[in-house]
Amino acid sequence: MGNERRVVITGLGAITPLGIGVDEYWTGLLEGRSGVGPVEGFDCSEIGTRIAAQVKGFVPEDYIDRKEAKRMDRFAQFAMAASRMALDDSGLKIDDSNRERYGTFIGSGIGGIATLEEQHRRLIEGGMGRVSPFFIPMMIANMATGQVARALGLQGPSETAVTACATSTNSIGDAYEVILRGDADGAVAGGSEAAVTPISMAGFSNMRAMSRRNDDAAHASRPFDVGRDGFVLGEGCGVIVLEEMETAVARGARIYGEILGYGMSNDAYDMVNPAPEGAGGARAMAAAIKRAKISLSEVGYINAHGTSTPVGDVLEVQGIKTVFGEHAYKMAVSSTKSMTGHLLGAAGAIEAIATTLALHHGVLPPTMNLETPDAGCDLDFVPGAARKQQVEVAMSNSFGFGGHNATIVLRRWQG
């Protein structure tokens, strides 16, 4: 690796449908617990899908001043909480000596859509004068990055990716690139989403993208299974702390793993459906492996995008086979969305956390609800239960509407 800078992961923070905090999230994954249930908070009886993976028990004031919390959309509140968790977990201290060298990369696929809905209702019912002066700063997608940077005093490079369901993998990858080229020594990076709202549910349901297994919510998200009928909308946030390796080692940081590579592509095919044979996803995976400077046989696990849609799962499997050939049958491939649902712009971040912990603990999270694999879905999907298996190198895939594809490659930290 010569004199190239290296980037390691030193802190993790998560708000998920499986619980608040990384320990609750990881324990839920290993137990194969489902975070999916009937939608709470509003009536979905007029549409075909009435289930979602919502975050339970989140109290913004546990992490944010009450007055400030009222001026943030739920997605920004999630980002503030998860970022504080990740920074605390890393043990990194931000002060005047280093704040200009640490950045913020929190993406969101949709941003403050709950705020948009509420303020639009006020406009229709009461006129333009009823719209809140905080509407814009609450709603725009970059405000999670802005609020986190302000709260934590991070004055380095800053960005908000908006690439649908590839968003937070792009955020982590972009932060990695910035550190690698020397523009920063570290960053908090990830994604946040709080889009379980009436208009989002109606939009995704009416386009028939989501599962309608309303009477069996815990088994509704079933990636690679012949009985899958769409994804389950989820909400939450994942944030990781990235640091330049020598800087992290010098301060005695606990290191979870190393980012080896990052690749991205666009299908340039269709706004919703993936390209035939999973060609776009395959290009992102191949680019990440090339950047990581590893052989295909070194990859032992993939945390798949695996949303449980009829088309997407098969094409991801085809893309994996295109890249890995016969080695595809020697790797483990699981979809943790079977338990968390699909967190859209936050999905890649919580899945990067799951991949990191799989390497760190030597345990692979399962694909739940996989009872009868679909034709062509013939890889080792770790069905039904977590598996103790030490893997040295792993990948995490994220693919989004608009043809966006992003992949990161991680290695277990060996000191």
Side-chain angles (χ1 to χ4, degrees):
M1 297 183 181
N3 296 320
E4 289 184 4
R5 287 163 68 94
R6 297 166 62 184
V7 179
V8 295
I9 297 171
T10 60
L12 306 171
I15 307 288
T16 79
L18 297 180
I20 309 294
V22 170
D23 289 345
E24 283 288 312
Y25 170 49
W26 181 240
T27 299
L29 291 180
L30 298 189
E31 291 177 347
R33 186 156 32 92
S34 174
V36 182
V39 170
E40 297 181 2
F42 56 93
D43 180 15
C44 290
S45 60
E46 294 183 9
I47 59 175
T49 298
R50 299 185 290 277
I51 54 175
Q54 294 174 284
V55 171
K56 306 290 198 311
F58 176 68
V59 180
E61 291 79 8
D62 288 347
Y63 310 93
I64 316 163
D65 173 80
R66 179 183 295 272
K67 184 177 179 181
E68 290 200 30
K70 288 183 176 179
R71 296 175 177 177
M72 293 181 192
D73 187 273
R74 184 171 168 88
F75 91 104
Q77 294 173 349
F78 285 164
M80 288 283 287
S83 297
R84 290 190 187 280
M85 287 179 193
L87 196 63
D88 288 346
D89 186 47
S90 76
L92 176 65
K93 304 300 181 188
I94 300 296
D95 56 30
D96 289 343
S97 70
N98 63 6
R99 67 176 75 257
E100 294 182 4
R101 296 291 300 168
Y102 286 82
T104 315
F105 295 74
I106 311 291
S108 182
I110 297 182
I113 193 165
T115 296
L116 178 61
E117 287 185 40
E118 167 62 17
Q119 296 303 314
H120 185 256
R121 183 187 61 78
R122 289 192 186 192
L123 173 70
I124 297 301
E125 295 179 354
M128 296 175 71
R130 292 290 310 281
V131 174
S132 168
F134 298 104
F135 166 51
I136 299 299
M138 289 177 69
M139 182 272 295
I140 54 179
N142 67 307
M143 202 47 69
T145 293
Q147 294 282 17
V148 168
R150 183 181 62 85
L152 302 183
L154 303 166
Q155 296 180 342
S158 170
E159 175 196 84
T160 297
V162 182
T163 51
C165 308
T167 289
S168 47
T169 299
N170 281 129
S171 295
I172 293 167
D174 292 348
Y176 158 77
E177 297 280 3
V178 164
I179 298 167
L180 208 61
R181 68 177 183 246
D183 289 347
D185 292 328
V188 296
S192 190
E193 207 76 87
V196 184
T197 70
I199 199 167
S200 293
M201 287 292 298
F204 283 121
S205 179
N206 291 345
M207 72 185 295
R208 302 188 73 86
M210 296 197 295
S211 172
R212 299 190 173 198
R213 197 181 286 255
N214 299 306
D215 297 330
D216 189 16
H219 301 99
S221 183
R222 41 198 317 113
F224 312 114
D225 187 87
V226 69
R228 69 194 185 284
D229 67 337
F231 73 83
V232 174
L233 184 60
E235 63 173 0
C237 179
V239 173
I240 67 176
V241 174
L242 307 180
E243 291 184 74
E244 190 275 323
M245 183 196 71
E246 291 186 2
T247 305
V249 170
R251 72 176 182 84
R254 180 269 325 282
I255 296 175
Y256 287 105
E258 179 178 5
I259 299 183
L260 296 183
Y262 166 47
M264 56 181 165
S265 71
N266 195 291
D267 286 357
Y269 172 72
D270 185 271
M271 286 299 98
V272 177
N273 292 308
E277 300 180 350
R283 285 196 299 276
M285 286 185 262
I289 290 168
K290 181 179 180 181
R291 185 61 182 272
K293 299 177 181 175
I294 59 172
S295 64
L296 296 173
S297 62
E298 290 182 75
V299 179
Y301 169 66
I302 297 178
N303 189 294
H305 184 58
T307 59
S308 185
T309 58
V311 175
D313 290 1
V314 172
L315 293 180
E316 182 172 10
V317 171
Q318 290 181 11
I320 291 170
K321 291 178 181 178
T322 297
V323 174
F324 288 94
E326 285 300 311
H327 184 65
Y329 295 96
K330 300 175 182 176
M331 300 184 298
V333 179
S334 69
S335 172
T336 44
K337 288 186 179 75
S338 57
M339 296 164 276
T340 65
H342 189 357
L343 274 60
L344 307 180
I350 67 165
E351 289 158 17
I353 290 171
T355 307
T356 300
L357 292 175
L359 293 167
H360 184 67
H361 293 299
V363 183
L364 305 182
T367 302
M368 299 304 293
N369 307 323
L370 178 54
E371 297 169 351
T372 305
D374 195 2
C377 294
D378 55 352
L379 304 180
D380 174 8
F381 294 115
V382 196
R387 177 191 302 164
K388 290 189 69 173
Q389 181 178 335
Q390 187 61 69
V391 168
E392 300 300 317
V393 177
M395 293 173 53
S396 181
N397 282 338
S398 298
F399 310 141
F401 283 179
H404 301 286
N405 307 296
T407 297
I408 55 173
V409 178
L410 308 176
R411 189 202 301 273
R412 184 171 76 94
W413 181 249
Q414 299 177 341

